Protein backbone atom coordinates (compact mmCIF):
# COMPACT_ATOMS: atom_id res chain seq x y z
CA UNK A 1 0.00 0.00 0.00
CA UNK A 2 2.81 2.43 0.84
CA UNK A 3 4.54 1.88 -2.50
CA UNK A 4 1.16 2.10 -4.27
CA UNK A 5 0.24 5.46 -2.77
CA UNK A 6 3.78 6.77 -3.41
CA UNK A 7 3.45 5.69 -7.05
CA UNK A 8 0.02 7.33 -7.23
CA UNK A 9 1.47 10.58 -5.89
CA UNK A 10 4.19 10.50 -8.56
CA UNK A 11 1.76 9.71 -11.40
CA UNK A 12 -0.79 12.26 -10.20
CA UNK A 13 1.96 14.88 -9.94
CA UNK A 14 2.96 14.15 -13.54
CA UNK A 15 -0.69 14.53 -14.57
CA UNK A 16 -0.96 17.80 -12.65
CA UNK A 17 2.20 19.11 -14.32
CA UNK A 18 0.78 18.13 -17.72
CA UNK A 19 -2.51 19.89 -16.92
CA UNK A 20 -0.64 22.89 -15.52
CA UNK A 21 1.29 23.34 -18.77
CA UNK A 22 -1.90 22.99 -20.81
CA UNK A 23 -3.79 25.48 -18.68
CA UNK A 24 -0.94 28.00 -18.94
CA UNK A 25 -1.30 27.90 -22.73
CA UNK A 26 -5.11 28.22 -22.48
CA UNK A 27 -4.97 30.95 -19.80
CA UNK A 28 -7.08 29.01 -17.27
CA UNK A 29 -5.70 30.95 -14.31
CA UNK A 30 -8.09 29.46 -11.74
CA UNK A 31 -6.95 25.93 -12.60
CA UNK A 32 -3.31 27.01 -12.63
CA UNK A 33 -3.59 28.11 -8.99
CA UNK A 34 -5.39 24.92 -7.95
CA UNK A 35 -3.03 22.58 -9.79
CA UNK A 36 0.05 24.41 -8.51
CA UNK A 37 -1.28 24.03 -4.96
CA UNK A 38 -2.00 20.34 -5.57
CA UNK A 39 1.53 19.82 -6.89
CA UNK A 40 3.05 21.38 -3.77
CA UNK A 41 0.78 19.31 -1.51
CA UNK A 42 1.64 16.10 -3.42
CA UNK A 43 5.37 16.73 -3.00
CA UNK A 44 4.90 17.37 0.73
CA UNK A 45 2.86 14.16 1.09
CA UNK A 46 5.47 12.17 -0.84
CA UNK A 47 8.27 13.27 1.50
CA UNK A 48 6.07 12.73 4.57
CA UNK A 49 5.32 9.19 3.43
CA UNK A 50 9.01 8.48 2.86
CA UNK A 51 9.90 9.95 6.24
CA UNK A 52 7.40 7.90 8.23
CA UNK A 53 4.90 5.24 7.15
CA UNK A 54 2.49 6.23 9.92
CA UNK A 55 1.44 9.14 7.68
CA UNK A 56 -0.21 6.71 5.25
CA UNK A 57 -3.78 7.26 6.45
CA UNK A 58 -3.28 11.03 6.64
CA UNK A 59 -1.83 11.11 3.10
CA UNK A 60 -4.70 9.03 1.71
CA UNK A 61 -7.29 11.40 3.25
CA UNK A 62 -5.53 14.50 1.93
CA UNK A 63 -5.17 13.02 -1.57
CA UNK A 64 -8.80 11.92 -1.62
CA UNK A 65 -10.00 15.33 -0.44
CA UNK A 66 -7.94 17.36 -2.91
CA UNK A 67 -8.86 15.21 -5.91
CA UNK A 68 -12.53 15.21 -4.91
CA UNK A 69 -12.38 19.00 -4.83
CA UNK A 70 -10.56 19.14 -8.17
CA UNK A 71 -12.98 16.84 -9.97
CA UNK A 72 -16.01 18.72 -8.67
CA UNK A 73 -14.38 21.99 -9.70
CA UNK A 74 -13.91 20.61 -13.24
CA UNK A 75 -17.56 19.52 -13.42
CA UNK A 76 -18.87 22.79 -12.01
CA UNK A 77 -16.74 25.17 -14.07
CA UNK A 78 -16.03 23.61 -17.47
CA UNK A 79 -18.23 22.61 -20.38
CA UNK A 80 -18.41 19.03 -21.75
CA UNK A 81 -16.53 20.13 -24.88
CA UNK A 82 -13.31 20.64 -22.90
CA UNK A 83 -13.46 16.97 -21.75
CA UNK A 84 -11.82 17.84 -18.45
CA UNK A 85 -14.54 15.81 -16.76
CA UNK A 86 -12.85 12.63 -18.03
CA UNK A 87 -10.39 12.85 -15.13
CA UNK A 88 -13.26 12.01 -12.79
CA UNK A 89 -13.18 8.40 -14.02
CA UNK A 90 -9.89 7.89 -12.18
CA UNK A 91 -11.72 8.73 -8.94
CA UNK A 92 -12.89 5.14 -8.12
CA UNK A 93 -9.29 3.89 -8.36
CA UNK A 94 -8.16 6.52 -5.87
CA UNK A 95 -11.04 5.84 -3.47
CA UNK A 96 -11.08 2.04 -3.57
CA UNK A 97 -7.34 1.68 -3.20
CA UNK A 98 -6.63 4.26 -0.49
CA UNK A 99 -9.94 4.82 1.28
CA UNK A 100 -11.55 1.39 0.96
CA UNK A 101 -13.09 1.67 4.44
CA UNK A 102 -15.04 4.81 3.53
CA UNK A 103 -15.23 4.25 -0.25
CA UNK A 104 -19.03 4.14 -0.35
CA UNK A 105 -19.31 7.43 1.54
CA UNK A 106 -16.81 9.22 -0.71
CA UNK A 107 -18.40 7.97 -3.95
CA UNK A 108 -21.90 8.73 -2.65
CA UNK A 109 -20.78 12.25 -1.77
CA UNK A 110 -19.29 12.69 -5.25
CA UNK A 111 -22.48 11.47 -6.95
CA UNK A 112 -24.62 13.68 -4.73
CA UNK A 113 -22.43 16.72 -5.45
CA UNK A 114 -22.66 16.06 -9.22
CA UNK A 115 -26.42 15.48 -9.35
CA UNK A 116 -27.34 18.41 -7.10
CA UNK A 117 -25.30 20.89 -9.16
CA UNK A 118 -28.14 21.93 -11.58
CA UNK A 119 -30.39 22.75 -8.61
CA UNK A 120 -27.92 25.12 -6.96
CA UNK A 121 -28.88 28.74 -7.80
CA UNK A 122 -25.35 30.12 -7.36
CA UNK A 123 -23.71 27.56 -9.69
CA UNK A 124 -23.68 28.20 -13.43
CA UNK A 125 -23.05 24.64 -14.62
CA UNK A 126 -22.57 23.77 -18.31
CA UNK A 127 -23.99 20.22 -18.09
CA UNK A 128 -27.66 19.41 -18.39
CA UNK A 129 -29.34 16.94 -16.04
CA UNK A 130 -29.17 14.05 -18.53
CA UNK A 131 -25.42 14.52 -19.02
CA UNK A 132 -24.90 14.55 -15.27
CA UNK A 133 -26.98 11.39 -14.86
CA UNK A 134 -24.99 9.75 -17.65
CA UNK A 135 -21.72 10.85 -16.06
CA UNK A 136 -22.86 9.51 -12.68
CA UNK A 137 -23.96 6.20 -14.23
CA UNK A 138 -20.55 5.69 -15.87
CA UNK A 139 -18.85 6.62 -12.59
CA UNK A 140 -20.90 3.96 -10.76
CA UNK A 141 -20.08 1.32 -13.39
CA UNK A 142 -16.35 2.08 -13.21
CA UNK A 143 -16.54 2.03 -9.41
CA UNK A 144 -18.13 -1.44 -9.46
CA UNK A 145 -15.53 -2.72 -11.93
CA UNK A 146 -12.67 -1.37 -9.82
CA UNK A 147 -14.32 -2.71 -6.65
CA UNK A 148 -14.68 -6.26 -7.99
CA UNK A 149 -11.15 -6.11 -9.40
CA UNK A 150 -9.96 -4.98 -5.97
CA UNK A 151 -11.81 -7.88 -4.31
CA UNK A 152 -10.27 -10.35 -6.75
CA UNK A 153 -6.84 -8.91 -6.08
CA UNK A 154 -7.40 -9.19 -2.33
CA UNK A 155 -8.56 -12.82 -2.69
CA UNK A 156 -5.50 -13.63 -4.81
CA UNK A 157 -3.26 -11.89 -2.28
CA UNK A 158 -4.82 -13.83 0.62
CA UNK A 159 -4.48 -17.11 -1.32
CA UNK A 160 -0.82 -16.42 -2.04
CA UNK A 161 -0.25 -15.44 1.60
CA UNK A 162 -1.96 -18.64 2.81
CA UNK A 163 0.07 -20.79 0.40
CA UNK A 164 3.23 -19.02 1.52
CA UNK A 165 2.42 -19.78 5.17
CA UNK A 166 1.70 -23.43 4.32
CA UNK A 167 4.99 -23.70 2.42
CA UNK A 168 6.82 -22.11 5.33
CA UNK A 169 5.20 -24.58 7.72
CA UNK A 170 6.11 -27.52 5.47
CA UNK A 171 9.67 -26.21 5.22
CA UNK A 172 9.91 -26.04 9.01
CA UNK A 173 8.58 -29.61 9.27
CA UNK A 174 11.13 -30.80 6.70
CA UNK A 175 13.92 -29.03 8.60
CA UNK A 176 12.74 -30.66 11.83
CA UNK A 177 12.67 -34.10 10.20
CA UNK A 178 16.09 -33.47 8.67
CA UNK A 179 17.51 -32.53 12.08
CA UNK A 180 15.95 -35.64 13.60
CA UNK A 181 17.41 -37.86 10.87
CA UNK A 182 20.78 -36.18 11.34
CA UNK A 183 20.69 -36.87 15.09
CA UNK A 184 19.60 -40.47 14.51
CA UNK A 185 22.37 -40.91 11.94
CA UNK A 186 24.96 -39.57 14.38
CA UNK A 187 23.63 -41.84 17.13
CA UNK A 188 23.79 -44.82 14.76
CA UNK A 189 27.39 -43.99 13.83
CA UNK A 190 28.26 -43.56 17.52
CA UNK A 191 26.63 -46.90 18.37
CA UNK A 192 28.48 -48.62 15.53
CA UNK A 193 31.77 -47.10 16.68
CA UNK A 194 31.18 -48.21 20.29
CA UNK A 195 30.29 -51.69 19.03
CA UNK A 196 33.52 -51.85 17.05
CA UNK A 197 35.53 -50.66 20.08
CA UNK A 198 33.85 -53.27 22.28
CA UNK A 199 34.62 -55.92 19.67
CA UNK A 200 38.28 -54.86 19.56
CA UNK A 201 38.52 -54.89 23.39
CA UNK A 202 37.07 -58.40 23.90
CA UNK A 203 40.15 -60.37 22.87
CA UNK A 204 42.72 -58.31 24.90
CA UNK A 205 40.43 -58.40 27.94
CA UNK A 206 40.07 -62.16 27.53
CA UNK A 207 43.88 -62.43 27.53
CA UNK A 208 44.11 -60.47 30.80
CA UNK A 209 41.34 -62.54 32.43
CA UNK A 210 42.98 -65.76 31.23
CA UNK A 211 46.36 -64.85 32.75
CA UNK A 212 44.81 -63.78 36.06
CA UNK A 213 42.58 -66.91 36.18
CA UNK A 214 45.60 -69.14 35.48
CA UNK A 215 47.52 -67.64 38.40
CA UNK A 216 44.46 -67.84 40.69
CA UNK A 217 43.85 -71.49 39.76
CA UNK A 218 47.44 -72.54 40.50
CA UNK A 219 47.25 -70.67 43.81
CA UNK A 220 44.03 -72.48 44.73
CA UNK A 221 45.57 -75.83 43.84
CA UNK A 222 48.63 -74.94 45.94
CA UNK A 223 50.86 -75.28 42.95
CA UNK A 224 54.12 -73.49 42.96
CA UNK A 225 54.36 -70.49 40.66
CA UNK A 226 57.85 -69.84 39.43
CA UNK A 227 59.28 -66.35 39.16
CA UNK A 228 59.64 -66.69 35.39
CA UNK A 229 55.99 -67.67 35.02
CA UNK A 230 54.87 -64.82 37.29
CA UNK A 231 57.00 -62.29 35.40
CA UNK A 232 55.73 -63.64 32.04
CA UNK A 233 52.05 -63.46 33.10
CA UNK A 234 52.42 -59.96 34.56
CA UNK A 235 54.32 -58.86 31.44
CA UNK A 236 51.52 -60.17 29.18
CA UNK A 237 48.94 -58.35 31.32
CA UNK A 238 50.97 -55.12 31.24
CA UNK A 239 51.52 -55.32 27.47
CA UNK A 240 47.80 -55.94 26.91
CA UNK A 241 46.83 -52.97 29.13
CA UNK A 242 49.31 -50.74 27.26
CA UNK A 243 47.81 -51.97 23.95
CA UNK A 244 44.31 -51.16 25.18
Amino acid sequence: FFSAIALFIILSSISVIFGLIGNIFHNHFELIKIEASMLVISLILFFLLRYKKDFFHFCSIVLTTQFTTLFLFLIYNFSPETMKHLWIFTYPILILYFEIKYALLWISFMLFAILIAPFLPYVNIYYDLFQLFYLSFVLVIISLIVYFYKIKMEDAKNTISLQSEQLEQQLQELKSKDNMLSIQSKQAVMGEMISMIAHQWRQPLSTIILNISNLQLKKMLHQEISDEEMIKSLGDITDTIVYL
Side-chain angles (χ1 to χ4, degrees):
F1 277 118
F2 298 107
S3 58
I5 195 170
L7 180 62
F8 179 84
I9 291 173
I10 293 171
L11 294 176
S12 63
S13 298
I14 294 172
S15 301
V16 169
I17 292 171
F18 176 79
L20 193 60
I21 295 171
N23 289 321
I24 290 173
F25 282 108
H26 291 90
N27 296 321
H28 293 154
F29 296 108
E30 292 182 351
L31 267 180
I32 291 172
K33 294 177 183 178
I34 294 174
E35 289 175 337
S37 301
M38 289 181 63
L39 185 59
V40 172
I41 292 172
S42 296
L43 290 174
I44 293 172
L45 293 178
F46 181 78
F47 285 108
L48 278 177
L49 198 61
R50 287 184 63 86
Y51 173 73
K52 197 172 183 181
K53 292 183 178 180
D54 292 341
F55 285 110
F56 171 77
H57 186 63
F58 172 76
C59 291
S60 65
I61 292 175
V62 173
L63 280 172
T64 304
T65 303
Q66 72 172 1
F67 277 93
T68 301
T69 305
L70 174 65
F71 294 150
L72 288 176
F73 180 82
L74 295 177
I75 295 295
Y76 276 43
N77 292 275
F78 289 89
S79 63
E81 289 76 15
T82 61
M83 294 192 299
K84 291 184 179 294
H85 63 277
L86 292 179
W87 285 104
I88 199 174
F89 297 133
T90 62
Y91 190 71
I93 301 174
L94 169 68
I95 296 299
L96 292 169
Y97 269 84
F98 304 135
E99 285 293 316
I100 186 68
K101 187 176 180 180
Y102 303 105
L104 184 60
L105 293 176
W106 279 103
I107 293 174
S108 299
F109 169 75
M110 175 65 79
L111 293 173
F112 175 77
I114 292 173
L115 294 175
I116 202 175
F119 304 102
L120 298 176
Y122 51 86
V123 176
N124 186 21
I125 194 166
Y126 297 95
Y127 293 78
D128 58 34
L129 192 57
F130 174 78
Q131 290 172 327
L132 292 177
F133 267 110
Y134 185 78
L135 191 62
S136 302
F137 176 76
V138 175
L139 187 61
V140 170
I141 295 298
I142 294 176
S143 299
L144 290 175
I145 293 172
V146 174
Y147 173 75
F148 285 116
Y149 178 77
K150 172 73 173 175
I151 294 298
K152 290 292 183 182
M153 289 291 290
E154 288 293 330
D155 290 342
K157 181 181 177 181
N158 292 334
T159 302
I160 292 172
S161 178
L162 180 61
Q163 290 176 347
S164 177
E165 290 176 0
Q166 291 175 346
L167 287 173
E168 184 68 24
Q169 184 178 358
Q170 291 175 358
L171 181 62
Q172 292 297 329
E173 291 176 358
L174 288 174
K175 286 183 178 179
S176 177
K177 290 179 181 178
D178 184 64
N179 291 334
M180 188 180 298
L181 289 174
S182 178
I183 293 171
Q184 290 176 349
S185 176
K186 290 177 181 178
Q187 289 175 344
V189 171
M190 182 67 71
E192 185 179 353
M193 184 178 68
I194 293 173
S195 177
M196 290 175 64
I197 292 172
H199 176 72
Q200 293 294 327
W201 274 45
R202 284 192 188 100
Q203 186 176 353
L205 287 173
S206 298
T207 302
I208 294 172
I209 292 171
L210 183 61
N211 279 282
I212 294 173
S213 299
N214 187 35
L215 293 173
Q216 287 178 334
L217 181 61
K218 285 186 177 183
K219 189 70 175 174
M220 289 173 62
L221 295 174
H222 302 287
Q223 293 181 2
E224 186 177 350
I225 302 172
S226 64
D227 293 338
E228 291 81 3
E229 187 178 0
M230 177 66 73
I231 292 170
K232 184 179 182 304
S233 295
L234 292 176
D236 290 341
I237 292 172
T238 302
D239 290 341
T240 305
I241 292 172
V242 170
Y243 169 74
L244 291 175

